Amino acid sequence: MTVRLSCLRSILLWRYDASGMGAPVDLNTLAQFLAVARLEHLSRAAEELRVAQPSLSRSIARLEAELGTPLFERGGRLRLNAAGHLFRGYAERSLGELEAGRRAVAEAAGQGLGTVRLASETFLAFSGPLAAFKRGHPGVEIELHQLSAQEAARRLRAQDVDLAVFSQPVAAEGLESVPLLDEEVGLAVPVGDPLAGRTSVGVEELAERPFIAARPGHWQRRLLDRLFAARGLVPRIVCESDEAGAIAELISAGLGIGLVPAVARRTATRLPLVWVGVDSPDCRRSLTLFWDARARLPAGARLLREAIAGWDWAGGGRTEAGGRAAGGF
């Protein structure tokens, strides 16, 4: 067995004292830097790391001194600068490579299949394949990370997650993928809405309707903005939410309408919603499974990859109750 530590030199960042001897930046400092870089907020990072904020500030200052350049802009809100973004990638890959080495050693030593880290924007459509996988492999622990597509892609390359499923295009450099599902996206409207009796509706007809939408960056919001922009329109959004369940609840309460994928239409729900088709060939989404092409996936991750890729996404999750509406976004 060979433990891959190709990024080890990225970890050994040397500063030189008067004697010319070097001292490595410790891994804890890298982890602290990454927490501050992710949150761009010292007090929240200190709270997450459970360290005193002055101590964290000194740690970041020492790191910047050792690198010979600031990593953050401190005018007002703390933000990563260009050097910080550059260093962040090396730090993430370094820690990710060491974690991959640790997991490879544990697997080789017969310590079980370990933990699989799966990222996605939403997990509402995953109950079927994940439940089936757990029944077949009860010893594998699945760690779920709800992330934007861009953040998940970055963490894949950093080997901070093993697998990711995206509902929108991403920069696939360095990643391998397998398509899971290409499906229609429709419109959810409350029972009694003027559109509830329609089989389809044009985007232009929705110009003045209030939308309950996901926040910017989510696949559903990107699709909504793209559909309207192609027609020189801007959607009238009355509520933004990160909670798919809340979006469905608000639509059913009559506060607005929203886009939902076909797979969600098959999800049983008690909410009084009606699904209406959107008269546009571009109103679709594609689910794609990604992983880092350079990473040596542990056995548990390879098994989950096979399970997700082999799942019947087009017909999976169908229930006898059916359900006219979408509970999964």
Side-chain angles (χ1 to χ4, degrees):
M1 178 202 67
T2 301
V3 178
R4 300 189 304 120
L5 295 177
S6 61
C7 289
L8 185 58
R9 64 177 182 176
S10 300
I11 297 174
L12 302 178
L13 307 169
W14 300 93
R15 70 175 184 269
Y16 289 89
D17 55 27
S19 64
M21 299 298 293
V25 172
D26 62 87
L27 301 181
N28 185 56
T29 299
L30 291 183
Q32 289 181 339
F33 162 74
L34 289 176
V36 177
R38 174 167 48 84
L39 297 171
E40 293 188 323
H41 198 285
L42 272 172
S43 62
R44 287 204 294 267
E47 181 179 355
E48 179 179 289
L49 294 166
R50 298 183 180 181
V51 299
Q53 182 175 330
S55 174
L56 180 59
S57 297
R58 289 193 294 271
S59 180
I60 297 300
R62 284 195 298 270
L63 176 60
E64 291 177 319
E66 290 163 2
L67 293 174
T69 185
L71 299 174
F72 296 90
E73 296 176 1
R74 291 174 169 81
R77 179 182 171 184
L78 189 71
R79 292 184 181 277
L80 274 177
N81 60 20
H85 280 288
L86 178 64
F87 183 69
R88 180 185 190 178
Y90 283 97
E92 286 179 329
R93 290 192 295 273
S94 298
L95 294 183
E97 191 74 13
L98 285 179
E99 173 62 14
R102 184 197 66 77
R103 297 170 76 194
V105 169
E107 183 179 325
Q111 297 177 15
L113 297 176
T115 300
V116 183
R117 303 162 301 178
L118 173 66
S120 183
E121 293 170 290
T122 176
F123 292 101
L124 288 172
F126 281 83
S127 57
L130 293 183
F133 178 80
K134 285 294 291 183
R135 286 193 297 270
H137 307 282
V140 180
E141 181 175 316
I142 302 175
E143 188 179 286
L144 302 178
H145 298 261
Q146 189 169 2
L147 304 169
S148 68
Q150 290 71 25
E151 176 70 6
R154 187 180 62 78
R155 292 178 65 172
L156 272 179
R157 296 185 182 97
Q159 298 189 47
D160 195 32
V161 295
D162 301 306
L163 305 168
V165 176
F166 304 146
S167 299
Q168 56 183 284
V170 297
E173 181 182 356
L175 303 179
E176 290 189 21
S177 65
V178 59
L180 303 176
L181 174 68
D182 179 72
E183 64 172 349
E184 182 182 3
V185 174
L187 191 70
V189 302
V191 173
D193 187 275
L195 296 175
R198 300 270 298 272
T199 56
S200 66
V201 60
V203 176
E204 293 82 357
E205 298 178 74
L206 305 175
E208 299 302 322
R209 295 298 304 270
F211 273 84
I212 311 297
R215 295 188 185 277
H218 190 277
W219 76 265
Q220 181 246 51
R221 178 62 176 276
R222 285 177 177 266
L223 176 58
L224 178 64
D225 290 340
R226 189 166 64 248
L227 287 172
F228 273 67
R231 294 157 178 82
L233 301 172
V234 177
R236 186 161 74 89
I237 296 172
V238 296
C239 177
E240 294 178 339
S241 177
D242 291 327
E243 302 177 63
I247 293 175
E249 290 275 1
L250 293 171
I251 294 173
S252 70
L255 274 72
I257 59 178
L259 294 179
V260 295
V263 69
R265 184 187 183 189
R266 298 191 298 268
T267 304
T269 177
R270 297 179 180 178
L271 294 176
L273 296 174
V274 177
W275 193 90
V276 181
V278 177
D279 188 14
S280 171
D282 299 325
C283 196
R284 307 186 66 84
R285 77 156 173 172
S286 298
L287 282 178
T288 306
L289 174 65
F290 286 86
W291 62 93
D292 188 344
R294 301 160 298 179
R296 179 192 179 277
L297 287 178
R302 296 195 299 273
L303 288 171
L304 183 57
R305 179 179 63 187
E306 293 171 5
I308 292 176
W311 180 254
D312 179 14
W313 287 93
R318 190 183 300 276
T319 64
E320 291 182 3
R324 296 178 297 172
F329 288 72

